[in-house]
């Protein structure tokens, strides 16, 4: 039996957040629960006190959750991150694997699955659904999904995908540069590159492409 | 976009006899059409898709081509005349819509004018009634998901912009932005309902207790109810009410029914949620039931038959008529049934019947450990750490206790400490070739190799798995080693 864990819940949905807090407060295996509404607040919370497990919503306004997950792991190497999503897109799962998330759970799963996931990842294991697990391919350099769907996204670099995510969310170049701590010129260069690679030269079309490919979703 | 969706929904779904075409504004040739237009014009699909639309359709008042290319959404349909295959003519109402995000296309919707007959039909009213349901579903299937995608995309962008506005507008505009956000959010919800309708999601079934579903659903519903609605729970609440079902989909059913009940009681009232189990248990196939009972205004008998049809609403302009259609879809996907009883002024009972299960929740299918219980330790000498965690999780799911070693020294210590209980060693090639670790002969081992193995056949108790490998293959190797 593991000792009770501290959990940081990151979700912009107030009602969901409050419901889960209430639920975790009754759960003896959770010793502390803190909830924040976005990735920036989550990073701040991790800096103040590193939680054992983070439940990270995939689609929040502001900083990309995968970008935040990477930064959390840099700041707190032992932190265990579970990606929580309404969707089970391959693109999201692959990004979760790329940031070495310890788990991936959908919002449709029952609350006891959430607790099971927390216990497993806190114990040093991973938590993916059996369907995802069966498709994992292990290489010496990392983990990927078998039979990924052929998508134009694969022509983009990780950085270009991040930029595309923010463009699709309606962020300006200046905002993207601030979020990613890079210059506006660099954002410009990445944007031009990804537009050229995708053959899309319009921000609205880019947003539609990102949604279609599962890089982002509607709120 | 709200105007667009309403116009389209009205034209398509309120009247069953509807012809549709997507027209290229450059060539004026239809790119897509539905069978109704083929039937009306008597043209084959190939003929129709190679004929300029103005060859067989003209507006009674105004230039059709000019209106088509105006790229405006018109609030009133035009009156037009359709040339029929037999040389006759037919009056039609024509709705022209710009295709969302495709400036080069227009959507054309044609309806028969009521006083005219469909060519070659002796009893047009009878045939229309026969065709109405088929055409409605056909239209929903073919177009709703496309329209929903467009709506969804536009709503996403709109919400993104509103988010930005929220941070920049002056205080006096807060309220306007708030209203705008609510309206667009409603639009996004509608788009998602349409998307779900176009692509029903098969239920992810697992053994669930319906009591949990109801309690979670009610927690959310109560947030939307005013103080004047009293919620009571009746029926089976002391014992599990078990079903093999998708909990989140059933929660959506409860939400949709609960919100309808709320709307039926604008002045407040009683909402009863009743659970029943072991219905018809004597026949060997017990059913369970979830009923949502309101004391609201009730439904007129003539409306009950149509209440599950998509885009049919009796809320007087509120709602779009998808809630109950989704309820029916979900329940039928669970092999269940929906029953409705209602009396005007007395209230409505919607009862969802689902196949029940007799026994207590079954434990997840146990993986039969192919090893003797005394030896259940799997030693794991592998890198990188993330891979090790995933492999360890797989071994634990197989019923073993996974112990990880990060270098040769730690591995040697672990081997010694766990030798009595050791079932298998999983070891990376780096431990063997770089660190020079020697696997004891009596230890069954799976070697994770960098490249296909060459050389003599492997001795008993050894397997090789090459990178990259699937977890399913890894699992098979372990089972072979232990059998």
């Amino acid at each position: 039996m593991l000792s009770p864990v501290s959990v940081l819940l990151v979700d912009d949905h107030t009602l969901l957040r409050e419901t889960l807090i209430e639920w975790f407060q009754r759960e003896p295996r959770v010793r502390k629960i803190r909830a924040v509404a976005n990735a920036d607040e989550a990073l701040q919370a991790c800096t103040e006190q590193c939680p054992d497990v983070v439940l990270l919503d995939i689609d929040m306004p502001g900083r990309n959750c995968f970008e935040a997950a990477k930064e959390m792991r840099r700041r707190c190497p032992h932190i265990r991150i579970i990606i929580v999503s309404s969707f089970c897109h391959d693109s999201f799962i692959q990004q979760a694997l790329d940031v070495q998330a310890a788990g991936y759970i959908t919002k449709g799963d029952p609350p006891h699955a959430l607790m099971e996931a927390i216990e497993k990842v806190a114990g040093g294991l991973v938590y993916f659904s059996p369907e995802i697990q069966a498709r994992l391919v292990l290489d010496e350099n990392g983990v990927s999904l078998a039979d990924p769907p052929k998508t134009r996204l694969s022509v983009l670099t990780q950085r270009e995908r991040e930029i595309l995510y923010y463009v699709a969310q309606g962020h300006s170049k200046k905002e993207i540069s601030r979020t990613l701590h890079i210059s506006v010129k660099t954002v410009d260069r990445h944007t031009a590159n990804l537009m050229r690679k995708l053959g899309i030269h319009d921000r609205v079309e880019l947003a539609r492409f990102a949604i279609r490919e599962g890089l982002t979703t509607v709120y | 976009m709200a105007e667009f969706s309403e116009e389209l929904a009205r034209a398509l779904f309120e009247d069953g006899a509807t012809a549709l075409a997507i027209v290229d504004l450059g060539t004026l040739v239809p790119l897509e059409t539905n069978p109704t237009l083929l039937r009306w014009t008597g043209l084959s699909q190939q003929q129709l898709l190679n004929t300029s639309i103005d060859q067989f359709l003209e507006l009674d008042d105004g230039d059709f081509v000019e209106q088509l290319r105006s790229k405006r959404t018109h609030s009133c349909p035009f009156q037009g005349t359709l040339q029929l295959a037999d040389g006759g003519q037919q009056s039609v109402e024509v709705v022209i819509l710009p295709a969302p995000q495709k400036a080069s296309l227009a959507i054309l919707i044609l309806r028969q004018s009521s006083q005219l007959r469909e060519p070659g039909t002796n009893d047009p009213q009878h045939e229309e009634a026969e065709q109405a349901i088929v055409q409605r579903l056909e239209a929903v299937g073919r177009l709703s998901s496309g329209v929903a995608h467009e709506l969804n995309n536009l709503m996403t962008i709109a919400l993104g912009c509103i988010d930005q506005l929220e941070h920049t507008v002056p205080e006096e505009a807060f309220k306007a932005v708030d209203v705008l956000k609510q309206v667009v959010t409603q639009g996004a919800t509608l788009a998602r309902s349409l998307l779900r309708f176009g692509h029903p999601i098969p239920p992810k079934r697992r053994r669930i207790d319906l009591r949990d579903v109801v309690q979670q659903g009610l927690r959310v519903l109560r947030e939307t109810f005013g103080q004047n609605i009293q919620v009571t729970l009746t029926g089976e609440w002391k014992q599990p009410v078990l079903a093999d079902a998708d909990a989140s989909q059933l929660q959506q059913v409860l939400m949709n029914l609960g919100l309808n009940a709320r709307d039926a009681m604008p002045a407040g009232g009683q909402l009863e949620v009743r659970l029943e189990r072991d219905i018809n248990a004597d026949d060997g196939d017990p059913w369970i039931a979830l009923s949502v009972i309101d004391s609201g205004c009730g439904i007129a008998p003539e409306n009950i038959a149509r209440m599950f049809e998509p885009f049919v609403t009796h809320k007087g302009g509120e709602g779009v008529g998808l809630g109950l259609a989704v309820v029916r879809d979900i329940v039928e996907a669970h092999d269940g049934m929906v029953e409705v009883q209602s009396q005007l002024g007395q209230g409505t009972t919607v009862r969802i019947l689902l196949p029940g299960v007799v026994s207590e929740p079954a434990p997840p299918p146990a993986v039969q450990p192919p090893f003797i219980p005394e030896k259940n330790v799997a030693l794991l000498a592998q890198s990188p750490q993330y891979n090790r965690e995933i492999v360890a999780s797989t071994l634990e799911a197989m019923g073993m206790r996974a112990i990880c070693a990060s270098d040769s020294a730690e591995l040697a210590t672990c081997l010694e400490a766990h030798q009595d209980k050791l079932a298998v060693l999983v070891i990376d090639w780096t431990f063997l070739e770089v660190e020079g670790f020697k696997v004891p002969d009596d230890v069954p081992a799976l070697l994770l190799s960098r490249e296909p193995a060459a050389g003599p056949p492997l001795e008993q108790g050894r397997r090789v798995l090459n990178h990259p490998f699937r977890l399913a293959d890894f699992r098979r190797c372990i089972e072979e080693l232990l059998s």
Side-chain angles (χ1 to χ4, degrees):
Chain A
M1 176 84 179
L2 287 165
S3 53
V5 294
S6 60
V7 175
L8 173 66
L9 171 64
V10 191
D11 198 307
D12 61 322
H13 196 296
T14 310
L15 187 59
L16 181 78
R17 216 166 48 230
E18 287 174 359
T19 309
L20 279 177
I21 289 175
E22 201 181 307
W23 188 76
F24 278 126
Q25 280 170 341
R26 291 199 303 267
E27 178 52 65
R29 290 166 291 182
V30 172
R31 71 177 157 83
K32 187 179 175 191
I33 170 77
R34 182 174 174 187
V36 293
N38 60 51
D40 283 316
E41 288 178 25
L43 283 173
Q44 180 62 32
C46 287
T47 308
E48 288 162 16
Q49 193 173 26
C50 192
D52 297 318
V53 177
V54 179
L55 296 172
L56 187 57
D57 183 27
I58 218 163
D59 195 50
M60 294 176 292
R63 190 190 285 261
N64 177 342
C65 89
F66 297 110
E67 163 85 14
K70 212 160 49 181
E71 181 59 21
M72 283 177 199
R73 295 192 72 246
R74 194 185 66 76
R75 293 186 193 183
C76 311
H78 298 297
I79 203 166
R80 308 291 288 162
I81 296 169
I82 299 173
I83 302 291
V84 184
S85 170
S86 302
F87 305 91
C88 214
H89 285 309
D90 279 5
S91 157
F92 290 155
I93 299 163
Q94 185 58 60
Q95 289 179 86
L97 295 172
D98 288 344
V99 298
Q100 304 196 350
Y104 188 105
I105 192 162
T106 62
K107 286 182 179 173
D109 289 334
H112 67 76
L114 199 56
M115 201 56 232
E116 190 187 334
I118 290 173
E119 279 202 299
K120 274 209 166 154
V121 305
L125 301 175
V126 296
Y127 185 94
F128 293 100
S129 72
E131 298 83 40
I132 297 176
Q133 195 117 349
R135 290 178 56 202
L136 296 184
V137 174
L138 275 67
D139 201 344
E140 287 172 291
N141 301 319
V143 184
S144 57
L145 266 186
D147 311 322
K150 295 277 178 271
T151 157
R152 284 157 77 196
L153 268 183
S154 57
V155 302
L156 302 185
T157 63
Q158 184 59 32
R159 195 51 138 184
E160 285 163 355
R161 285 184 195 205
E162 283 167 14
I163 304 267
L164 174 58
Y165 170 86
Y166 289 114
V167 171
Q169 296 268 320
H171 290 225
S172 68
K173 287 173 190 172
K174 206 183 277 181
E175 285 171 321
I176 299 173
S177 81
R178 272 202 302 268
T179 307
L180 296 180
H181 306 293
I182 55 179
S183 71
V184 173
K185 210 170 170 185
T186 308
V187 175
D188 259 340
R189 203 179 61 241
H190 284 308
T191 311
N193 280 345
L194 74 91
M195 283 181 158
R196 180 179 47 76
K197 286 181 180 179
L198 296 174
I200 298 174
H201 301 281
D202 169 314
R203 285 170 75 90
V204 174
E205 278 294 317
L206 271 185
R208 296 178 62 217
F209 171 79
I211 294 161
R212 217 167 40 232
E213 295 292 331
L215 193 64
T216 182
T217 67
V218 289
Y219 301 147
Chain B
M1 284 313 295
E3 184 187 45
F4 167 74
S5 64
E6 280 174 27
E7 187 69 40
L8 183 60
R10 195 178 305 121
L12 282 175
F13 308 119
E14 294 283 336
D15 177 353
T18 304
L20 303 162
I22 296 173
V23 180
D24 184 305
L25 292 176
T27 60
L28 298 177
V29 168
L31 301 177
E32 277 281 352
T33 179
N34 71 342
T36 310
L37 190 58
L38 298 175
R39 193 153 44 82
W40 286 0
T41 57
L43 297 172
S44 70
Q45 182 147 17
Q46 196 174 3
Q47 286 171 323
L48 190 70
L49 300 185
N50 284 299
T51 306
S52 174
I53 192 96
D54 58 346
Q55 298 286 307
F56 54 85
L57 179 65
E58 58 185 39
L59 297 187
D60 297 349
D61 187 14
D63 185 333
F64 176 43
V65 175
E66 188 184 309
Q67 294 294 355
L68 200 58
R69 288 179 172 158
S70 72
K71 298 177 186 173
R72 286 200 307 270
T73 302
H74 303 274
S75 54
C76 294
F78 297 99
Q79 292 299 320
T81 305
L82 188 69
Q83 298 293 333
L84 303 179
D86 58 10
Q89 293 185 332
Q90 160 131 20
S91 280
V92 286
E93 287 180 347
V94 183
V95 176
I96 302 169
L97 296 169
Q101 299 298 313
K102 287 284 181 194
S104 60
L105 302 179
I107 299 170
L108 209 57
I109 302 171
L110 308 182
R111 297 191 296 196
Q112 290 174 270
S113 295
S114 56
Q115 72 275 22
L116 290 157
R117 69 167 181 83
E118 187 180 344
T121 308
N122 293 327
D123 184 357
Q125 282 188 341
H126 175 72
E127 177 148 331
E128 274 183 27
E130 288 283 309
Q131 292 288 332
I133 295 171
V134 175
Q135 288 193 358
R136 187 172 293 131
L137 293 177
E138 175 191 87
V140 169
R142 290 185 59 169
L143 284 181
S144 73
S145 88
V147 172
H149 267 292
E150 297 298 342
L151 274 172
N152 222 358
N153 295 349
L154 295 175
M155 294 299 168
T156 302
I157 295 161
L159 280 168
C161 296
I162 292 168
D163 263 1
Q164 284 189 22
L165 279 179
E166 278 181 321
H167 298 108
T168 51
V169 295
E171 200 171 327
E172 56 269 26
F174 280 0
K175 194 172 177 195
V177 173
D178 202 37
V179 171
L180 183 62
K181 190 170 185 175
Q182 279 179 30
V183 170
V184 176
T185 304
Q186 278 173 15
T189 307
L190 165 62
R192 276 198 295 271
S193 300
L194 271 170
L195 267 178
R196 197 208 175 284
F197 199 77
H199 296 284
I201 304 160
K204 280 196 267 177
R205 293 171 188 260
R206 55 193 298 173
R207 188 68 51 88
I208 59 166
D209 186 343
L210 216 53
R211 294 177 306 171
D212 297 338
V213 173
V214 172
Q215 272 163 350
Q216 283 161 26
L218 280 182
R219 195 176 304 156
V220 180
L221 272 175
R222 280 194 175 104
E223 297 276 338
T224 73
F225 290 170
Q227 295 291 324
N228 55 0
I229 294 181
Q230 301 297 319
V231 181
T232 52
L233 304 177
T234 58
E236 294 280 356
W237 288 95
K238 291 186 178 164
Q239 295 182 59
V241 183
L242 302 174
D244 288 329
D246 186 321
S248 67
Q249 290 195 0
L250 292 187
Q251 243 183 52
Q252 191 178 355
V253 166
L254 180 63
M255 293 293 295
N256 291 3
L257 295 180
L259 292 174
N260 279 354
R262 179 200 65 182
D263 295 342
M265 302 185 288
Q270 300 286 327
L271 177 76
E272 179 185 339
V273 180
R274 184 186 298 159
L275 278 184
E276 298 164 86
R277 61 200 283 268
D278 296 337
I279 301 167
N280 293 339
D282 294 344
D283 297 341
D285 292 318
W287 288 75
I288 57 173
L290 163 68
S291 301
V292 176
I293 305 159
D294 69 61
S295 60
C297 54
I299 306 163
E302 65 271 21
N303 290 337
I304 289 184
R306 296 191 66 206
M307 61 190 279
F308 290 101
E309 288 182 30
F311 304 105
V312 172
T313 177
H314 301 106
K315 291 183 182 176
E318 295 287 320
V320 292
L322 276 178
L324 285 177
V326 168
V327 165
R328 186 191 56 187
D329 268 11
I330 290 176
V331 173
E332 289 183 354
H334 282 82
D335 306 314
M337 292 177 281
V338 188
E339 295 174 350
V340 182
Q341 287 184 332
S342 187
Q343 271 196 311
L344 275 177
Q346 301 285 309
T348 302
T349 298
V350 182
R351 190 179 190 223
I352 306 294
L353 283 151
L354 297 169
V357 286
V358 184
S359 59
E360 289 297 304
V367 178
Q368 290 301 319
F371 48 87
I372 47 174
E374 294 78 35
K375 288 197 168 195
N376 69 342
V377 168
L379 256 181
L380 197 46
Q382 188 199 8
S383 55
Q385 187 185 340
Y386 191 47
N387 293 25
R388 197 158 64 227
E389 287 169 3
I390 289 173
V391 167
S393 300
T394 306
L395 290 166
E396 297 244 347
M398 294 174 78
M400 296 193 192
R401 187 176 154 221
I403 293 173
C404 301
S406 52
D407 56 43
S408 290
E410 194 179 357
L411 178 57
T413 311
C414 288
L415 266 176
E416 196 177 332
H418 298 284
Q419 59 181 346
D420 293 343
K421 292 190 172 185
L422 188 64
V424 66
L425 168 66
V426 178
I427 186 164
D428 233 10
W429 66 275
T430 48
F431 281 77
L432 306 172
E433 294 178 24
V434 179
E435 300 197 26
F437 190 84
K438 175 86 176 75
V439 179
D441 291 341
D442 57 340
V443 172
L446 174 61
L447 316 177
L448 303 178
S449 167
R450 190 184 206 179
E451 52 199 24
L458 288 169
E459 52 206 276
Q460 185 72 19
R462 294 281 190 276
R463 287 284 185 283
V464 174
L465 188 57
N466 299 315
H467 282 104
F469 60 85
R470 279 189 188 226
L471 279 182
D473 296 328
F474 170 81
R475 200 180 169 118
R476 187 176 39 75
C477 282
I478 294 289
E479 283 169 354
E480 283 174 9
L481 267 175
L482 298 174
S483 63

